[in-house]
Amino acid sequence: MRIALRPWSGVPRALRWLLAASLLLQLGWQLARQAEPPQARPLPAPPPAAVARLASLGEPLAMSKAMLLYLQAFEDQPGVSLAWRELDYDRLAAWLETAQALDPRSQYALVAASAVYAGVADPRRARIMLAFVAASFAADPARRWPAMAQAVLAAKHQLRDLPLALTYARQLRLLATGPRVPPWVREMEAFILEDMDQLDSARLVIGGLIQSGQITDPHELAFLARRLDELAVQISAKKAHSTH
């Protein structure tokens, strides 16, 4: 059976104009799509730890690493390279927290937070990372003190927030008391107190460290003893200056 085709001239003029307009609109839409710059996708919320653990099929450590690798790769999207300051740091901290919950013995999430993401040129975002480190440190001070020490340095030098650095350093002295924690970690509080011109407090901290027996290395003890003498001289000079 042959189908009789109507000639083009037989198509009503209005329908021909409508067809041409449709083709032009379709062509214009496609060109506009190609001209649009690539858009960065926002960082989604992480799955709850219980869901991630269930999805790991009994391999939570592998799931933890996969989540951290996903975060690293998220910065490079097709046609777009995201700066850290463009990431949602509340969600970033949630991803790190979930990854750490799946692999609590790993330092990966904490190192990423304290040594990488906290270096962002945005004080608010940096503080979110330091708060994550501080909260994690309290749960396992003997293992997580390196990230907390890094947080002290970031608070002092990057944020120039000595009270925050002192808070973190004090937590280090009080909680990081294991035999594998080097003495200088517990001494950070004293040196920050000196930076804050709280010489009497610094002297008390150093004296307390010596008397508590937490410092056993002879060189460390000699160093701290010299520091005590220097502090005594500084305090005397300061008092003498204030009386004149």
Side-chain angles (χ1 to χ4, degrees):
M1 176 179 179
R2 297 185 58 186
I3 300 176
L5 298 177
R6 297 177 60 186
W8 175 253
S9 59
V11 178
R13 177 173 295 180
L15 187 58
R16 281 185 282 169
W17 279 110
L18 181 60
L19 179 60
S22 299
L23 290 173
L24 288 174
L25 284 174
Q26 177 69 12
L27 180 61
W29 182 67
Q30 291 293 342
L31 290 174
R33 283 190 60 189
Q34 293 176 5
E36 288 180 357
Q39 300 291 323
R41 292 179 291 108
L43 183 65
V51 174
R53 190 180 301 277
L54 185 63
S56 73
L57 301 177
E59 297 289 345
L61 307 189
M63 176 62 81
S64 174
K65 288 183 174 57
M67 293 179 72
L68 293 170
L69 290 174
Y70 167 78
L71 282 182
Q72 292 178 6
F74 194 83
E75 298 159 13
D76 294 319
Q77 301 181 19
V80 180
S81 182
L82 278 178
W84 293 338
R85 61 179 303 136
E86 297 179 71
L87 294 173
D88 184 326
Y89 263 51
D90 289 319
R91 289 187 171 181
L92 178 61
W95 275 93
L96 295 172
E97 184 177 357
T98 301
Q100 186 174 257
L102 295 176
D103 187 3
R105 296 177 64 86
S106 172
Q107 301 278 352
Y108 196 171
L110 286 173
V111 170
S114 62
V116 179
Y117 294 115
V120 65
D122 181 333
R124 188 188 69 82
R125 285 179 165 82
R127 289 175 190 278
I128 291 174
M129 284 296 102
L130 298 188
F132 162 70
V133 171
S136 301
F137 163 75
D140 190 356
R143 194 188 309 278
R144 298 174 178 171
W145 63 264
M148 191 62 166
Q150 179 66 31
V152 173
L153 298 175
K156 177 183 175 184
H157 297 292
Q158 180 182 336
L159 299 179
R160 301 187 184 283
D161 188 340
L162 287 178
L164 182 62
L166 178 63
T167 298
Y168 290 165
R170 185 162 293 157
Q171 291 179 34
L172 274 171
R173 178 175 65 83
L174 295 175
L175 300 178
T177 56
R180 296 184 177 180
V181 181
W184 62 263
V185 172
R186 293 185 288 270
E187 297 165 12
M188 295 180 86
E189 180 188 3
F191 293 108
I192 290 176
L193 284 168
E194 288 186 47
D195 291 340
M196 297 176 72
D197 200 21
Q198 297 186 28
L199 301 180
D200 288 309
S201 297
R203 185 174 61 172
L204 288 175
V205 169
I206 293 177
L209 284 171
I210 294 175
Q211 293 177 1
S212 68
Q214 296 183 60
I215 310 294
T216 57
D217 183 90
H219 299 289
E220 289 284 343
L221 288 171
F223 170 75
L224 292 179
R226 286 198 305 272
R227 197 66 197 133
L228 272 181
D229 293 338
E230 292 169 1
L231 283 172
V233 172
Q234 291 179 40
I235 291 170
S236 297
K238 185 177 180 181
K239 289 180 178 177
H241 179 75
S242 63
T243 56
H244 289 81

